[in-house]
Amino acid sequence: MGISGTKSASTPMEMNLRLTTVEYNTLLQSTNDPLLDDIHSYQQLVGKLIYLTITRLDICFVVQVLSQFMQCPKRSHWESAMRMLRYLKKTPGQGVLLKRSNINNLTVFCDVDWASCLNTRRSVTGYVVQLGDSLISWKSKKHHLVNEELLLNIKA
């Protein structure tokens, strides 16, 4: 992707970055984030990143965010994908590691980010499962329904 000479990134996404759709920018009458000319390159890159999430838990959330804009990506989406590549450049040895040790416990962590998607106001839930010290499962999912009670509180 031509990033071999670029500076690496320490995180896969900028903190508090909110990527939005073209429709959202149209409603706000914002024109400072143009559409990409080459949508195919963005789609190919995100497709490769989706495949990489099989072994790289640390990029799952960011790839899920980037994949929401496959049909109509903007320059900010491309820049975020490039940051992801710079992060991967810095952390080539990370991935799933199953440690050989006595298994004493099963640990599960979960979290939800209520109405975090600016475009749909849907919530995102995620979880990770560890067997001993080894990560064995994880998932991040956007809810299908909007929490109407939460929306009423936000509008109030």
Side-chain angles (χ1 to χ4, degrees):
M1 298 300 296
I3 64 162
S4 60
T6 60
K7 188 177 177 181
S8 59
S10 58
T11 59
M13 182 180 252
E14 291 180 36
M15 189 176 222
N16 297 323
L17 178 66
R18 300 290 183 163
L19 298 174
T20 58
T21 61
V22 174
E23 293 81 14
Y24 185 85
N25 284 3
T26 303
L27 288 173
L28 294 179
Q29 297 177 350
S30 174
T31 58
N32 59 351
D33 193 7
L35 290 173
L36 276 182
D37 294 330
D38 187 10
I39 294 172
H40 186 68
S41 293
Y42 180 82
Q43 292 170 340
Q44 279 187 322
L45 175 57
V46 174
K48 291 173 183 177
L49 291 173
I50 289 170
Y51 183 73
L52 188 59
T53 61
I54 294 169
T55 59
R56 294 287 304 254
L57 172 65
D58 53 334
I59 66 169
C60 286
F61 177 76
V62 178
V63 172
Q64 174 262 332
V65 170
L66 293 174
S67 67
Q68 295 178 51
F69 306 104
M70 295 282 272
Q71 299 303 317
C72 202
K74 300 185 301 184
R75 182 178 293 148
S76 60
H77 305 143
W78 178 256
E79 290 168 358
S80 293
M82 288 293 108
R83 181 183 175 96
M84 168 67 75
L85 291 180
R86 293 195 324 270
Y87 170 75
L88 291 171
K89 175 184 170 186
K90 183 176 183 173
T91 59
Q94 289 190 358
V96 174
L97 173 66
L98 298 176
K99 295 182 180 180
R100 186 176 182 180
S101 63
N102 292 335
I103 299 171
N104 299 329
N105 59 342
L106 179 70
T107 309
V108 179
F109 298 99
C110 65
D111 194 12
V112 65
D113 194 359
W114 295 105
S116 63
C117 181
L118 290 176
N119 303 310
T120 62
R121 302 308 299 166
R122 294 184 190 170
S123 303
V124 176
T125 301
Y127 70 83
V128 295
V129 180
Q130 292 179 313
L131 186 59
D133 291 332
S134 299
L135 179 68
I136 59 170
S137 181
W138 64 87
K139 185 172 185 176
S140 175
K141 180 181 179 183
K142 187 188 290 189
H143 293 224
H144 293 289
L145 301 174
V146 177
N147 187 336
E148 292 179 19
E149 182 178 314
L150 182 62
L151 283 178
L152 293 174
N153 290 337
I154 292 171
K155 291 179 182 177

